[in-house]
Each structure stands twice: as structure tokens, then as C-alpha cells.
Amino acid sequence: MATKSFHRTDRVSAQLRRELGTLVHEAVREHGLPSVSVSDVEVTRDLAHAKVFVTALMPERSDEAVKGLKELAWGLRMELARRMKLRHVPELHFHYDDSVDRGERIDNLLRDLPPSSEPEDE
């Protein structure tokens, strides 16, 4: 029976990711926020809370974007309630997803490494 709850949270997070993708895109336009997109949504097992991870086009403005989304969280949650058939829409917690930035930083570091001197076959 325990496996069913995992499937439910997976389904709910996938649905939230889709809906929030659209809602966040609209909110960015309407409220003049720095451009962000939803990269992932993690829902607690009891479906009470959802961590919403966003990536930013301009990482240096990510704090401003996340702050704006946190202020809009209640309204976004109400809109989700209208669009989704859930008895209880999870409370939204916005977080900046810096994995893309970290990946780019690693790529740049690797690109800047001097070519390795391969040991010659004898």
C-alpha cells in the first residue's frame, strides 16, 4: 500500500510542474519579474507542501525573481486550486535551482584545463 502514495506524489508533482510552468510564466510577464522557469517540484508525502525549483535566465537576478514569486505564492496557489482537481493544494515554497549554474561553471573549468598529457604507449 505504501507504494501507492509515492505514485500519487509523483503524479501530483508532475501535474504541479506543468501547471506552475504556465502560471509562473504568466506571473513573470504580468508582474515584470526577471525571467524564470520551473525546473522541478518536490511534494511532501502528505501533499501539504511543495518545493518549487526555478532556474533563471539571468542568475544574478534570481534572488529578485524568487522573492517576487514568494510574494505571489498565495495567489498562485489559489489559481492552482482552480485548475487542479485536488482537495488540498500544497503550500508553495520557491527555491532557486542553481544546478544549471553549477553545471556551466564546471563546464567552463573543464574547458580551461590544459590538455592532458597522455602517457605514451611503449
Side-chain angles (χ1 to χ4, degrees), residues 34-114:
S35 187
V36 291
S37 55
V38 175
S39 59
D40 198 15
V41 177
E42 291 176 3
V43 184
T44 54
R45 278 181 62 189
D46 61 1
L47 302 178
H49 299 272
K51 269 187 180 178
V52 183
F53 293 95
V54 295
T55 55
L57 223 48
M58 297 177 285
E60 65 279 3
R61 295 187 64 197
S62 59
D63 289 348
E64 179 189 343
V66 170
K67 184 175 181 281
L69 288 171
K70 284 179 177 176
E71 289 169 6
L72 297 170
W74 189 84
L76 291 169
R77 189 177 174 201
M78 292 303 107
E79 184 56 31
L80 279 174
R82 272 193 46 237
R83 294 181 181 205
M84 293 176 69
K85 290 174 175 59
L86 282 179
R87 192 173 300 138
H88 178 79
V89 175
E91 196 175 311
L92 305 176
H93 305 279
F94 288 93
H95 299 276
Y96 181 62
D97 178 355
D98 66 353
S99 61
V100 175
D101 302 343
R102 283 200 315 266
E104 280 178 16
R105 221 172 20 254
I106 291 169
D107 279 349
N108 291 336
L109 288 171
L110 291 173
R111 209 172 295 123
D112 295 343
L113 285 176

